């Protein structure tokens, strides 16, 4: 190949580099449009955030060491790394499934004159770069904090390579595990009955397991009495956990300067082995998995059962329900929330009931329930922040239709509300059976939760209406958009709303049961009304401006 | 006798000031700025009044320690009267100080009509007033002498205004003006309440104001509601009025602080500690527009005041002077900076202003550290006060953050300066400074969020108003006809694009420039041009997907921007990107579209049947669209677009990627639709198709319409459409002059 008279070698590395640049191009272009000052300021803020995480980690670890007499040992570090990496691997699998196999850009990338393995590597490399960037705000400052408190010379020497390996390891493992996961996912999507059966079985299993585990709790749990025992038990648990995490033991030993001559090669060999496994095992499956996504799917017939609706809302609602049921991702998310949420509530309330809460009685329990329920449900409801944008190209149908198509927003909200209400009701039933909270408390709590979660749905939707990402969804497809800033914002708003509501519920109930509930309901109703009004106004004003 | 002497002094002062003011004519230039001499004189007197009154405020009034009306230096009735007089006098003196700086009618009338009366009452009640200040009728006590001088000067300034009013015989609507001045003063009067007055009048009553007791909560509500109400009341006033309001409030905070909170016998309450500093600095920041100082209080003290309001460190009960002083002080420290920005007196902080604020804060921390290090160890501190400005010297912070103990006690810098062993906890102080600088940035971020929210609400309100206005305008233009009727009935058989331009957000370049086009019924109209020429942009604006930057587009007489529903009802659109819900079946998708276009069940079924047969989709119609091929998806979209038998059918690149059979089917369909008296408007790159199917074509290049022709005419001229297209597509700069294009377009329309 010649470029300006110069011979260019079309090497795999060169192709991977350009594939990566192509995938990162959009973000790089967005950054180029920012002024130098703004970029410098954003960089400064990021450094500040990283320093803040370091400070929090430093003081938290110091606090645990000084107050709880917990030894900041090698084993503790290994356990923490192991646990965080477990979470990292699970999250990586989810992201890799979207990015690697279902992203719309695959159609374009597969057509390029590159080997499929190169596309695979470039995609993983882009994802890995993102993971490294993310880890600058958590793992890296945490490792530095740990090092400042207990690290020796070896710690600082091996900090960078260990950190890099920690960032890349979940990517490699995630890539390997994503292969069986994608096949299982597709299999279950084809066989809905099996899927439902599996979910049901898992649910029953989880319930039984949790009940067995919880029955081992000494009641009442007296935290002060079992304090010493508890800390020892935690330390023992972490030590036993650390013994399971073989590769992390190598890394821990490296950082603490134990037999470096042995553990350094071992760590590298294991890492390289997984890397090779990923390349030689996952790579061949990549094209097969992707192409089966890109190719036309199997013929799925549905009986023609359309009913004529003169009401635009019902037209939209039917369509939304159909799409919701036929979209495995949204359905899974809803089923997961509806089924796991009452379980979590059950566990939480069991523990809370076991702890002696005589001082504040039911109020503390109600406040915590409100806080936890709101946090979890609002995380699910934050999906409303992408409801309109996820229409993608299809949004043009709404724009050209001669109807008040902003009604679609209400149809989408109705679907979100149905899931929300089912989750709340199942939780209500579960709490009625499993807790000693009075029916009045539970009923009023459910009402408040309904008002708050509904308000949050309106708020989330409003974020989407005022700052739509339709172009992203049109280009990448629903699965391809991983970081929707509106959704992230909605999650943060949900978290703050949950915290503030929980605190207010506690404070107001402490003032008096009846007056407390009256005020809580009034506040929740005010929140609901304000969000409804603002959503309606914003929808009216900005819906027609949504374009791509 | 003394009363008469004082009253005479008042009169002499007023006459003298009026006389000097009358003599001062013309202007004077100072530092390239021109001032009226008389104005300058009056402003100088106001500053003098402030300078004389401040030391008086700092002195001790006997009555300020009295609890309840009985057992005091005056009888209860006299105590009430002198107390109320004191209150009104505070306000009067403040109004007098700002009089020369603001041209405001109620203020001028207050100064000319009410203020002299209030000041004169002090002379009338000189004895009880004197007793309340110094405890006895000692008229020559320095406090009384100073107070008398202050009152005389104030009377002089306001009395001169009265003389002016009398001289001008300006008594028009006297009572109305008096009433307005009275009302104006009533708005400000609560702000100037002497903090000891509730304790004097009612004794010590009420709850403790902490731990969220009812009283505490009420005070919290008042503190947070005050800036909101003040903002609502003053946001639409003139800038001068807003500034006057803020200066009056800051003056009130300053006066209240000096009259009580700044204990004369202790070094700890000098205005160098937290909100005390803010209260004093705020006045100077407003008067001199001192940005760095203002933003220092805006970014540091607001947070401090907020925390103090929520978690006060006072255990006094409601009416105690300490509590009243505390709440006034912190409410002002919280509200004044916020209102400064909210009411537009100071701009929103940017990075440059942040640097200024950090510099001011650094100077403050340095000064506080030096004073702490000095006063705590100096023989000058005879009372042994614990001087702890900004908590830099005590263990206040390390009591809460034990980890910081070594930071304080491992790094002490001491040196002997005269009799004083100067002591600095330099690392500890440096850390506190750094934490607060970080907090300043964090608060800046929070303010940023609040500004964004506030802007969004303002924009929302503005646009709602605009929408209402547009709707009213449309109704007016319709002249009593129903909104469902076309705005321009004369265009009921065509698409009319007039001076249409489109600019995308984030760019100045016009994607389409000044496009004019008319397409009539029965026509198949081809829109051709190179990639990025502006075809899709025009089409997307025509069908209502995108907004119109300039000009108008009408479909069957309906304006697409103003009567979108009616315009869209007459249109069917096939997009270039397969906008179909892939999880629906073909039938479900078409039915969904039919419902949106309000097609009857019978028509819908008939048309589905007809078109499915025409396009060979009968078998696939109940499969999910995600299983369809490209062509099948395109055909589904075509059926969706035709399901309501639209008058105007718009297609964007309809034949891309279709096999010959599908392509032929769609072409046939287009021709048939036009032959039925409808309009078919489509864009394409396939010149042969355009040449074969179209009656007329338009060529667009670089966003500008190049020419409009009948296909037959092109053929008659012996040109091929391909040649013509290439000429414009490859050399858009070699286009015909605008006049010629317009003539061609017009000619072409006329031919049709």
């Amino acid at each position: 190949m010649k470029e300006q008279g110069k011979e260019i070698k079309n090497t795999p590395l060169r192709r991977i580099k350009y594939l990566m640049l192509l995938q990162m191009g959009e973000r790089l272009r967005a950054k180029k449009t920012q002024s130098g000052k703004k970029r410098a300021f954003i960089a400064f803020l990021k450094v500040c955030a990283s320093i803040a995480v370091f400070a929090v980690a430093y003081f938290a670890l110091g606090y645990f060491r000084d107050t709880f007499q917990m030894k900041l040992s090698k084993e503790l570090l290994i356990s923490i790394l192991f646990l965080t990496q477990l979470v990292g691997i699970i999250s990586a699998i989810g992201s890799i499934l979207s990015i690697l196999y279902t992203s719309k850009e695959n159609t374009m990338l597969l057509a390029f004159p590159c080997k499929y393995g190169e596309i695979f590597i470039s995609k993983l490399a882009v994802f890995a770069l993102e993971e490294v960037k993310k880890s600058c705000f958590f793992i890296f400052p945490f490792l530095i904090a740990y090092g400042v408190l207990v690290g020796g010379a070896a710690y600082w020497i091996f900090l960078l390579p260990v950190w890099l390996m920690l960032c890349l390891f979940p990517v490699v493992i995630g890539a390997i595990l994503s292969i069986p996961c994608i096949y299982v996912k597709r299999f279950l999507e084809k066989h809905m009955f099996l899927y439902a059966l599996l979910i049901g079985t898992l649910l029953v299993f989880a319930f039984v397991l949790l009940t067995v585990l919880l029955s081992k709790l000494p009641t009442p749990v007296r935290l002060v009495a079992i304090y010493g025992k508890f800390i020892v038990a935690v330390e023992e648990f972490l030590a036993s956990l650390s013994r399971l995490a073989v590769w992390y033991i190598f890394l821990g030993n490296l950082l603490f300067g134990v037999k470096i001559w042995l553990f350094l090669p071992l760590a590298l060999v294991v890492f390289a082995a997984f890397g090779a496994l990923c390349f030689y095992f996952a790579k061949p499956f990549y094209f097969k998995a992707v192409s089966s996504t890109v190719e036309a799917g199997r013929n799925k017939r549905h009986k023609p059962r359309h009913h004529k609706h003169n009401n635009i809302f019902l037209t939209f609602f039917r369509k939304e329900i159909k799409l919701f049921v036929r979209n495995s991702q949204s359905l899974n998310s809803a089923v997961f929330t509806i089924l796991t949420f009452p379980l979590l509530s059950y566990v939480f309330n069991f523990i809370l009931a076991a702890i002696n809460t005589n001082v504040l009685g039911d109020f503390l329990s109600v406040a915590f329930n409100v806080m936890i329920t709101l946090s979890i449900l609002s995380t699910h409801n934050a999906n409303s922040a992408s409801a309109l944008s996820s229409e993608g190209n299809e949004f043009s149908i709404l724009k050209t239709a001669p109807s008040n198509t902003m009604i679609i927003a209400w149809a989408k909200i109705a679907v979100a509300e149905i899931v929300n209400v089912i989750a709340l009701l199942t939780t209500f039933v579960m709490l009625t059976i499993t807790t000693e909270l009075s029916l009045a408390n539970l009923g009023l709590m459910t009402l408040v939760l309904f008002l708050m979660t509904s308000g949050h749905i309106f708020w989330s939707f409003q974020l989407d209406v005022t700052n739509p990402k339709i172009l992203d969804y049109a280009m990448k497809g629903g699965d391809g958009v991983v970081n929707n800033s509106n959704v992230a914002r909605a999650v943060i708003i949900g978290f703050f709303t949950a915290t503030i509501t929980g605190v207010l519920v506690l404070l107001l109930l402490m003032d008096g049961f009846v007056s407390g509930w009256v005020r809580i309901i009034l506040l929740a109703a005010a929140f609901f009304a304000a969000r409804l009004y603002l959503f309606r106004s914003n929808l009216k004003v900005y819906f027609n401006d949504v374009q791509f | 006798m003394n009363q008469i002497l004082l009253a005479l002094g008042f009169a002499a002062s007023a006459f003298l000031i009026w006389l000097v003011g009358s003599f001062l004519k013309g202007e004077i230039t100072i530092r390239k700025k021109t001032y009226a001499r008389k104005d300058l004189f009056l402003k100088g007197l106001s500053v003098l009044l402030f300078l004389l009154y401040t030391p008086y405020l700092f002195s001790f009034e006997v009555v300020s320690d009295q609890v309840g009306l009985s057992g005091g230096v005056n009888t209860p009735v006299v105590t009430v009267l002198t107390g109320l007089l004191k209150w009104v006098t505070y306000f009067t003196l403040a109004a007098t100080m700002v009089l020369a700086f603001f041209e405001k009618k109620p203020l001028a009338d207050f100064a000319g009509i009410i203020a002299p009366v209030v000041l004169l009452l002090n002379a009338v009640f000189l004895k009880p007033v004197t007793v309340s200040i110094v405890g006895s009728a000692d008229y020559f006590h320095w406090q009384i002498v100073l107070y008398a001088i202050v009152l005389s000067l104030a009377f002089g300034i306001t009395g001169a205004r009265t003389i002016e009013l009398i001289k001008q015989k300006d008594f028009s609507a006297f009572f109305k003006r008096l009433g307005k001045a009275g009302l104006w003063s009533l708005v400000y009067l609560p702000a100037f309440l002497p903090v000891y007055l509730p304790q004097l009048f009612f004794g010590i009553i009420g709850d403790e104001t902490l731990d969220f007791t009812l009283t505490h909560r009420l005070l919290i509500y008042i503190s947070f509601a005050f800036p909101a109400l003040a903002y609502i009341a003053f946001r639409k006033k003139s800038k001068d009025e807003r500034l006057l309001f803020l200066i009056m409030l800051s003056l009130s905070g300053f006066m209240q602080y000096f009259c009580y909170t700044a204990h004369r016998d202790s070094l700890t309450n000098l205005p160098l500690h937290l909100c005390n500093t803010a209260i004093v600095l705020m006045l100077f920041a407003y008067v001199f527009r001192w940005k760095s100082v203002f933003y220092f209080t805006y970014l540091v003290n607001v947070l401090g005041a907020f925390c103090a309001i929520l978690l006060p460190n006072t255990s006094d009960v409601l009416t105690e002077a300490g509590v009243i002083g505390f709440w006034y002080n912190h409410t002002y420290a919280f509200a004044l900076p916020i209102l400064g920005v909210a009411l537009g007196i100071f701009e929103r902080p940017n990075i440059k202003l942040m640097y200024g604020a950090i510099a001011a804060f650094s100077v403050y921390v340095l000064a506080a550290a030096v004073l702490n290090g000095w006063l705590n160890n100096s023989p000058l501190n005879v009372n042994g006060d614990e001087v702890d400005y900004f908590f830099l010297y005590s263990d206040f912070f390390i009591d809460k953050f034990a980890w910081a103990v070594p930071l304080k006690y491992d790094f002490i810098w001491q040196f002997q300066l005269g009799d004083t062993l100067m002591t600095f906890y330099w690392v500890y102080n440096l850390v506190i400074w750094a934490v607060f600088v970080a907090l300043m940035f964090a608060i800046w971020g929070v303010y940023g969020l609040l500004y964004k929210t506030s802007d969004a609400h303002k924009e929302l309100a503005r646009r709602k108003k605009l929408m209402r206005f547009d709707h009213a305008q449309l109704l007016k233009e319709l002249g009593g006809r129903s909104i469902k009727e076309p705005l321009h009935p004369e265009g009921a058989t065509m698409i009319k694009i007039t001076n249409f331009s489109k600019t995308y957000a984030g760019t100045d370049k016009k994607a389409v420039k000044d496009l004019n086009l008319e397409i009539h019924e029965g026509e198949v109209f081809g829109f051709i041009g190179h990639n990025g020429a502006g075809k899709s942009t025009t089409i997307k604006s025509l069908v209502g997907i995108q907004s119109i930057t300039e000009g108008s587009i009408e479909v069957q007489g309906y304006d697409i921007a103003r009567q979108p529903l009616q315009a869209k009802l007459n249109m069917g659109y096939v997009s270039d990107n397969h906008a179909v819900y892939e999880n629906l079946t073909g039938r479900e998708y078409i039915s969904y579209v039919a419902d949106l276009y309000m097609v009857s069940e019978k028509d819908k079924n008939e048309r589905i049947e007809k078109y499915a047969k025409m396009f060979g989709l009968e078998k696939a119609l109940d499969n999910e669209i995600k299983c369809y091929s490209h062509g099948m998806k395109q055909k589904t979209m075509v059926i969706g677009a035709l399901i309501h038998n639209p008058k105007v059918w718009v297609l964007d690149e309809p034949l891309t990627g279709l096999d010959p059979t599908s392509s032929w089917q769609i072409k046939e369909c287009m021709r048939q639709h036009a032959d039925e008296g409808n309009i078919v408007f489509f864009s394409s790159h396939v010149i042969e198709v355009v040449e074969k199917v179209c009656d007329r074509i338009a060529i667009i290049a670089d966003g500008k319409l190049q020419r409009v022709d009948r296909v037959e005419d092109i053929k008659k001229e012996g040109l091929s459409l391909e040649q013509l297209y290439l000429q414009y597509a490859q050399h858009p700069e070699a286009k015909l002059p605008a006049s010629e294009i317009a003539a061609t377009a017009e000619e072409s329309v006329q031919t049709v």
Side-chain angles (χ1 to χ4, degrees), chain B residues 257-274:
Chain B
Y257 165 72
F258 273 105
C259 97
Y260 189 85
T261 312
H263 292 294
R264 281 104 348 214
D265 53 351
S266 167
L267 292 168
T268 53
N269 282 321
L270 288 179
L272 285 155
H273 188 58
L274 306 170

Side-chain angles (χ1 to χ4, degrees), chain A residues 41 59 296-302 304 306 308-309 312 315-316 319 322-323 326-327 391 393-394 396-403 511 519 533-534 537-538 540-542 545 547-548, chain B residues 217 403 444 457 459-460 463-464 467 502 543-547 565 568-569 573 577 579-581 583-585 587-589 591-592 595-599 601 604 619 622-624 626-627:
Chain A
F41 181 65
F59 293 120
R298 64 216 172 274
N299 280 354
K300 207 167 183 182
R301 280 188 82 80
H302 294 279
H306 182 76
K308 165 78 185 155
H309 290 300
I312 292 291
T315 300
F316 284 130
K319 170 227 148 196
K322 274 180 190 162
L323 292 179
R326 290 178 197 170
N327 181 331
E391 287 277 308
N393 275 328
E394 287 77 15
S396 62
I397 299 168
L398 298 178
K399 292 292 281 186
T400 53
S403 322
D511 246 16
R519 277 182 285 172
Y533 169 75
L534 283 171
S537 302
N538 278 284
K540 219 171 168 183
V541 168
Y542 291 108
D545 283 1
Q547 57 186 32
F548 60 96
Chain B
R217 286 206 302 268
W403 52 267
W444 187 32
H457 286 290
E459 178 62 12
L460 185 70
R463 294 184 64 151
K464 275 169 93 173
M467 279 170 76
K502 171 73 186 173
V543 297
I545 291 177
Q546 287 180 349
S547 62
L565 300 192
K568 288 172 187 175
L569 203 56
Y573 169 59
N577 54 19
V580 279
Y581 295 101
N583 283 327
L584 293 184
T585 65
R587 189 186 301 277
E588 283 168 347
Y589 168 76
S591 298
Y592 167 65
D595 283 350
L596 291 181
Y597 283 83
M598 288 155 277
V599 181
E601 190 71 2
K604 182 186 79 181
K619 284 181 185 167
D622 293 316
N623 289 346
E624 284 184 17
K626 64 184 169 198
C627 320

